[in-house]
Amino acid sequence: MPEQVRESYQQRLQQYTALHLSAQKQLTQLGWLRLLAFLAIIPAFIYSRQWGTLAIIIAITAPLSVFLWLVKKYIQKEKQKEFYNNLINLNKNELLALDGDFSVFENGNEYSDAHHAYSLDLDLFGARSFFQFMNRSSTIRGKNRLAAMLQNGELDVTAITTRQQATDELAGILDWRQSFAAKGKTNSDQQDHTLINQWSHSSFILKHEKTLRVFMYVLPILTISAIALAIFQSIPWEIVTIMVLFQWGFYLPYSKTIRRFHQLFGSRATILSRYIDMLSDIEKHDFQSELLITIKHHLYFEKESASQISGKLKKGIDKLEYGQNLFVSIILNSILLWDIRCIYHLSQWHRRYHEQLNQWFEVIAEFDALSSLANFNYNHPAYVFPLPVIGDARIEAEQLGHPMIDAKKRICNDFKLSGSGKLAIITGANMAGKSTFLRTVGINLILAMNGCRVCASNMKFSPISLFTNMRTTDNLMNDESYFYAELLRLQQLLQRIRQGEKLFVIVDEMLKGTNSEDKLQGSKALVKQLISLGATGIIATHDLKLTELESEYPSAIQNQCFEVLLHHDELQFDYLLRTGVTRTMNASFLMKKMGIIA
């Protein structure tokens, strides 16, 4: 791993740790100032009583205004402190990941699917999976989108090229990516995701809306005017009381609706604030790649940006929240019909914009997922962007390795397979590297079809759907034996090919659940079918007789192998792929070494 990548994370860790400490000190200062401003209200009230009601109002207003301003500044600084804390954790986690510990990232176990075309066999999800290795998403939508990308590689050459440009651009703006991720980090993302769906699909229809709009402006104006006149003794305070009672009489029929709005929107301003900040980050940055510009374009509606429109919703929720305090609620609703005004404006917002919500959050999800791919590219600058080409199934790679194996231990191999109906049959002893190589090819194809760099010095490929058969499992609940489960898997493979789908097939030891003679005959028949149907792929096997098919199909089959060397009564593995058929097997040797057999 190049040291400059590590240094970039270490520098940011030091920078944000210092900023976090500074924010904490400022919070302490603001806390004391806030307390002093609140306490100042008491003497202001005591010393102003002798000059009458107006003097009391003016005297209390000054320290109260300072107090409220300090509360606002405290909340802003607290948010900034949390932001710095998230940035600290991001850089700490990246340094851990560079050392091979990526356990802090979500592993996507919920996406595991034994029936998927390749995810189980390639360790795509679960503990120490490739998803956990790559995942840097900060939202549940982003995580879902990343999982979908890895499960469904892009097959269009142009789309892959544009995604390469997008992930390359995002890789180069580390500060932007970390800011975007830090603003999205939360411990309640699933709850937030559910809430957003509620907002976008719920109905907020108010009764007598036109009448409501008139009264919510007229009544507060009359009440405020009455209070002003009463202060200057132009009218009796009883008239103010009547106006207040009249407002509460207007309020009560809407009390159930107001409670419903509180249930759906209450205490949600902070959630929206998080998404608004993420939307704002996208809107403000001047992206250059075609894909990012296209995605960003979806954030505008009727010449307004998503963050501006969402900001209106946040302000509406903020105002509704004032009414959660009983004392404040009584004052605001007695004078301004506050809650009714709030629910009216929220319903108007919802009517006009709610259909845009999901679109905007899908934009966040797309950037969130692409940022994970870009982070992979940034962490592996020595990897290369593969060249996608149109045409028959094709993979040509030099120094191809598995990205999850430490670079100091990783053994890379050249591999070339080109043309429909072409198969590579790979033989080798146990632990010689066959299965790892199959996963190496599969994972790098997934990376290539998602616009990522690949673990190779050079690679050219044609986009093609993957299908693997490496880890078939029995199913006792469905009364399926291991062998029958494997047959079902192979049946699925052949059905897809017969339906005209182009597949790159990766199979590790066919028909493991039957006897050797039956297995050989069945394997030969399957290989011949794959060739005739135009499938391309790799088959690993211990059965050396299967390699004899090369003489029957010299233009379709290439035999390759991993060898084991015996040196001073010890097995040595070099994990290098060679042309030809293996000459060594090691099962009996290992059993004797371990004392299992004599």
Side-chain angles (χ1 to χ4, degrees), residues 7 14 49 122 125 154 157 171 182 195 206 250 306 308 333 392 404 415 436 440 453 459 486 528 546 582:
E7 287 173 8
Q14 294 171 359
R49 285 185 302 170
L122 300 183
F125 303 109
E154 182 60 64
V157 168
L195 182 71
L206 295 178
F250 196 80
Q308 290 172 330
N333 284 304
D392 287 341
M404 292 181 68
F415 182 69
T436 298
T440 296
R453 293 177 181 269
M459 180 171 163
E486 184 178 10
K528 291 177 181 180
L546 195 61
T582 184

Side-chain angles (χ1 to χ4, degrees), residues 532-557:
S532 67
L533 291 170
T536 305
I538 309 171
I539 296 173
T541 183
H542 285 102
D543 200 330
L544 302 187
K545 287 187 175 294
L546 195 61
T547 64
E548 295 172 359
L549 286 173
E550 185 184 36
S551 59
E552 188 176 344
Y553 298 94
S555 62
I557 293 177

Side-chain angles (χ1 to χ4, degrees), residues 130 133 376-377 380 382-386 397-407 410-413 440-441 443-445 447-448 452-459:
F130 186 71
F133 179 71
F376 176 87
N377 289 348
H380 303 92
Y383 294 1
V384 299
F385 279 111
E398 296 174 8
Q399 293 300 291
L400 188 70
H402 199 297
M404 292 181 68
I405 298 176
D406 189 287
R410 185 191 303 133
I411 304 297
C412 299
N413 286 285
T440 296
V441 174
I443 285 295
N444 279 289
L445 279 173
L447 284 170
C452 279
R453 293 177 181 269
V454 293
C455 184
S457 61
N458 189 33
M459 180 171 163

Side-chain angles (χ1 to χ4, degrees), residues 167-442:
T167 59
D168 193 36
E169 180 180 357
L170 287 172
I173 49 175
L174 177 59
D175 286 335
W176 184 92
R177 283 192 290 108
Q178 289 203 338
S179 172
F180 181 77
K183 289 171 182 174
K185 284 291 180 185
T186 178
N187 294 323
S188 59
D189 192 55
Q190 179 62 61
Q191 177 185 341
D192 298 352
H193 172 70
T194 303
L195 182 71
I196 293 301
N197 281 334
Q198 283 182 322
W199 284 345
S200 60
H201 295 104
S202 297
S203 175
F204 303 113
I205 299 173
L206 295 178
K207 296 178 181 179
H208 315 298
E209 201 169 82
K210 291 182 180 179
T211 304
L212 181 67
R213 182 176 181 181
V214 173
F215 276 90
M216 76 181 195
Y217 286 109
V218 172
L219 284 179
I221 291 172
L222 293 175
T223 305
I224 292 170
S225 299
I227 292 171
L229 291 170
I231 290 173
F232 291 104
Q233 300 180 348
S234 298
I235 62 172
W237 281 98
E238 285 79 2
I239 294 178
V240 174
T241 303
I242 292 171
M243 293 303 303
V244 169
L245 291 174
F246 195 68
Q247 291 209 67
W248 280 101
F250 196 80
Y251 173 95
L252 290 175
Y254 287 94
S255 57
K256 288 184 178 179
T257 305
I258 291 168
R259 282 197 298 273
R260 179 165 173 260
F261 270 73
H262 273 295
Q263 288 171 355
L264 286 170
F265 290 93
S267 304
R268 305 308 185 193
T270 52
I271 297 172
L272 260 184
S273 179
R274 162 191 171 217
Y275 287 115
I276 291 168
D277 287 344
M278 298 177 81
L279 290 168
S280 182
D281 272 4
I282 297 171
E283 290 165 1
K284 289 177 182 177
H285 193 83
D286 184 22
F287 296 105
Q288 302 299 311
S289 59
E290 179 185 345
L291 178 59
L292 298 182
I293 292 171
T294 301
I295 298 170
K296 179 180 174 179
H297 181 71
H298 293 296
L299 292 183
Y300 294 89
F301 179 73
E302 295 180 354
K303 297 183 180 180
E304 284 187 289
S305 71
S307 65
Q308 290 172 330
I309 296 170
S310 299
K312 293 177 184 178
L313 176 59
K314 179 183 177 296
K315 288 178 182 177
I317 295 172
D318 279 336
K319 291 177 180 178
L320 184 65
E321 281 302 288
Y322 298 158
Q324 290 294 83
N325 182 292
L326 181 60
F327 177 71
V328 174
S329 175
I330 291 172
I331 294 174
L332 291 178
N333 284 304
S334 297
I335 300 172
L336 300 171
L337 271 179
W338 188 262
D339 283 350
I340 289 179
R341 294 167 68 90
C342 289
I343 65 171
Y344 174 82
H345 289 301
L346 285 172
S347 68
Q348 291 296 303
W349 186 98
H350 186 271
R351 177 181 299 172
R352 186 174 181 187
Y353 299 118
H354 77 279
E355 292 182 356
Q356 305 300 314
L357 271 178
N358 270 319
Q359 177 176 298
W360 296 334
F361 292 119
E362 283 306 313
V363 170
I364 290 176
E366 194 74 18
F367 270 92
D368 200 13
L370 288 172
S371 291
S372 283
L373 304 182
N375 194 79
F376 176 87
N377 289 348
Y378 180 82
N379 285 355
H380 303 92
Y383 294 1
V384 299
F385 279 111
L387 177 65
V389 294
I390 299 172
D392 287 341
R394 177 183 190 182
I395 176 171
E396 299 175 13
E398 296 174 8
Q399 293 300 291
L400 188 70
H402 199 297
M404 292 181 68
I405 298 176
D406 189 287
K408 296 175 183 177
K409 300 177 182 179
R410 185 191 303 133
I411 304 297
C412 299
N413 286 285
D414 295 346
F415 182 69
K416 181 178 180 179
L417 189 64
S418 181
S420 297
K422 302 294 179 67
L423 297 175
I425 296 180
I426 298 179
T427 53
N430 293 300
M431 302 186 301
K434 300 189 303 298
S435 297
T436 298
F437 179 72
L438 298 186
R439 292 188 174 91
T440 296
V441 174

Side-chain angles (χ1 to χ4, degrees), residues 11-109:
Q11 289 170 1
R12 283 168 174 79
L13 178 58
Q14 294 171 359
Q15 174 190 351
Y16 296 129
T17 300
L19 289 169
H20 182 268
L21 182 61
S22 175
Q24 179 58 58
K25 290 179 179 177
Q26 292 176 50
L27 272 175
T28 302
Q29 294 169 355
L30 286 169
W32 283 109
L33 290 171
R34 185 179 60 177
L35 177 61
L36 290 172
F38 181 78
L39 293 175
I41 296 173
I42 300 173
F45 172 75
I46 293 172
Y47 288 109
S48 62
R49 285 185 302 170
Q50 57 186 312
W51 292 296
T53 305
L54 183 61
I56 293 173
I57 292 172
I58 295 172
I60 292 177
T61 299
L64 182 61
S65 298
V66 172
F67 171 75
L68 293 174
W69 180 80
L70 288 169
V71 168
K72 182 179 179 181
K73 296 296 290 184
Y74 189 93
I75 292 171
Q76 290 173 345
K77 187 57 65 175
E78 202 167 38
K79 182 179 177 181
Q80 190 179 62
K81 178 192 166 187
E82 183 184 1
F83 175 66
Y84 291 141
N85 187 60
N86 286 341
L87 286 167
I88 288 169
N89 290 330
L90 283 174
N91 286 281
K92 278 183 178 179
N93 293 342
E94 288 302 337
L95 288 169
L96 287 172
L98 294 184
D99 291 328
D101 179 6
F102 44 93
S103 59
V104 292
F105 305 111
E106 292 187 68
N107 61 32
N109 192 58

